[in-house]
Amino acid sequence: MNNSEQLYNALKNRILILDGAMGTMIQRYNFTEEDYRGERFKDWKSPLKGNNDLLSLTQPEAIEEIHRKYLLAGADIIETNTFSGTTIAMADYHMENLVYELNYESAKIAKKVCDEFTAQNPDKPRFVAGSIGPTNRTASLSPDVNDPGYRAITFDELRIAYKQQAEALLDGGSDILLVETIFDTLNAKAALFAIDEIREERNITIPIMVSGTITDASGRTLSGQTADAFLISVSHMDLISVGFNCALGAKQLTPYLEILANHTDFGISAYPNAGLPNAFGQYDETAEQMANQVEEYLEKGLINIIGGCCGTTPDHINAIADLAKNYKPRQLSVISQ
């Protein structure tokens, strides 16, 4: 059985656990500017602290350790350290030329650790989700209030950037491509278009997860879509899951997951924040508090994949995994391969 078949099989039979926040765990290391640079980039012309994706090259042991902690906590799927791994986002650090290497090496690190855990327990295969973040540009909105027709990026520029990232993630060993934290569905459509091109060119099956973000209590994405409009916008693709992550805590996310669950045959994913941030931007919700809120998703049979976003740690994932094993996944009428 190949990896895709194992994934579809697992998705039918149990709720799969996604890992928690990468950034939250990286913060615990208190890396300095010198740590981010390492020996290789010690003379780089611009500041590099905060470029978390770069740590896959300069601090790979730390990234491997974070992945391992999430797998020990019960994660079935771990995300690569590539949230900002496009030429568009890396332009902030003048590192566009490193994009292929960053994604390839990040996927390789995650795959190595997953393979170790799968070998120890072949009945619980572990999977790598290549993380494709939204970039720091939006195709639907103008960044200039005085020129509403202006766009800082085109669909084709996004497509090209996403394609480069997706190819490197696949080459490095990703089992899934996860287009995540979508605040502008037009950006996501460019990523999906690029992935579809790769699928045709390579004649391969590429399992795809899509995860949007509801940015406030209005129940809309930043570019103004409701949950059901978002779903319609991405449903032309053959997805293993559609869902939401980030921005909201578990409790606030429930009504939007219900909308998705009532209108699609795809799997449903959710990985909320550990509550809402406090006045200092920190997340206070404990593992137990979060698991208690997530239980509503499980009781209502809303989800197939569950994990955590900002503020979550291996403790949060462990508590959610312990809970999820007592519940059946949302029933899927169709899972295509």
Side-chain angles (χ1 to χ4, degrees):
M1 195 184 292
N2 66 31
N3 277 15
S4 288
E5 289 169 340
Q6 284 187 319
L7 174 62
Y8 291 115
N9 199 39
L11 201 57
K12 286 176 190 168
N13 293 315
R14 57 193 171 89
I15 295 171
L16 298 186
I17 307 301
L18 186 68
D19 63 4
M22 175 61 75
T24 300
M25 295 299 287
I26 286 172
Q27 283 173 2
R28 293 182 169 187
Y29 288 84
N30 293 312
F31 285 133
T32 63
E33 176 71 29
E34 289 67 34
D35 294 324
Y36 274 87
R37 287 173 177 267
E39 187 59 29
R40 180 174 167 187
F41 302 105
K42 69 178 196 301
D43 298 322
W44 200 257
K45 59 188 173 184
S46 58
L48 297 178
K49 188 175 179 182
N51 185 357
N52 286 350
D53 296 24
L54 182 63
L55 295 172
S56 294
L57 302 184
T58 56
Q59 303 290 339
E61 298 86 2
I63 302 304
E64 186 177 318
E65 185 177 51
I66 292 168
H67 287 322
R68 188 168 275 110
K69 284 178 177 174
Y70 278 125
L71 289 169
L72 283 167
D76 298 287
I77 303 169
I78 55 169
E79 294 184 54
T80 55
N81 178 38
T82 55
F83 187 79
S84 301
T86 56
T87 49
I88 297 160
M90 280 296 145
D92 289 352
Y93 303 98
H94 310 287
M95 288 189 153
E96 297 95 322
N97 292 337
L98 284 168
V99 160
Y100 184 90
E101 185 184 359
L102 283 170
N103 286 281
Y104 179 82
E105 291 300 328
S106 294
K108 224 170 119 183
I109 292 167
K111 188 64 173 172
K112 175 192 163 196
V113 189
C114 270
D115 284 350
E116 280 175 27
F117 277 77
T118 301
Q120 290 166 17
N121 183 3
D123 292 334
K124 186 179 165 68
R126 312 299 180 101
F127 305 98
V128 176
S131 168
I132 299 176
T135 85
N136 48 9
R137 304 283 179 92
T138 166
S140 292
L141 303 170
S142 172
D144 182 355
V145 292
N146 297 313
D147 186 359
Y150 172 70
R151 297 292 180 270
I153 194 90
T154 67
F155 184 90
D156 209 45
E157 286 168 336
L158 285 164
R159 177 190 65 81
I160 291 164
Y162 283 130
K163 188 171 183 182
Q164 182 184 14
Q165 181 179 25
E167 286 178 324
L169 287 169
L170 291 168
D171 292 347
S174 296
D175 304 298
I176 303 162
L177 291 181
L178 169 54
V179 183
E180 64 171 330
T181 321
I182 299 161
F183 62 82
D184 179 354
T185 310
L186 192 55
N187 284 39
K189 286 170 95 70
L192 294 172
F193 190 93
I195 294 167
D196 209 33
E197 281 189 322
I198 299 167
R199 184 186 58 76
E200 285 188 15
E201 288 165 9
R202 299 191 179 191
N203 193 26
I204 56 171
T205 299
I206 304 175
I208 305 166
M209 295 173 63
V210 163
S211 184
T213 187
I214 299 289
T215 49
D216 58 37
S218 72
R220 294 174 182 267
T221 64
L222 188 67
S223 57
Q225 280 191 314
T226 58
D228 43 0
F230 166 72
L231 175 63
I232 291 164
S233 296
V234 297
S235 289
H236 63 290
M237 288 293 284
D238 187 13
L239 308 174
I240 63 164
S241 72
V242 63
F244 291 115
N245 73 292
C246 203
L248 302 177
K251 194 175 185 61
Q252 293 86 0
L253 208 53
T254 307
Y256 310 117
L257 295 173
E258 288 178 320
I259 290 169
L260 296 184
N262 289 333
H263 291 96
T264 187
D265 288 330
F266 297 142
I268 302 291
S269 72
Y271 49 116
N273 292 347
L276 298 175
N278 62 26
F280 302 101
Q282 302 297 310
Y283 294 87
D284 300 322
E285 203 163 86
T286 66
E288 290 69 30
Q289 287 170 328
M290 187 172 178
N292 287 340
Q293 292 175 38
V294 162
E295 192 159 19
E296 185 179 3
Y297 307 167
L298 306 173
E299 288 170 345
K300 291 182 174 179
L302 295 179
I303 55 167
N304 304 90
I305 301 171
I306 179 73
C309 204
C310 305
T312 58
T313 66
D315 287 343
H316 291 81
I317 298 308
N318 189 234
I320 290 168
D322 278 348
L323 190 65
K325 66 188 178 194
N326 301 318
Y327 290 88
K328 288 187 165 31
R330 174 174 170 271
Q331 286 305 295
L332 298 172
S333 53
V334 179
I335 294 187
S336 46
Q337 291 188 31

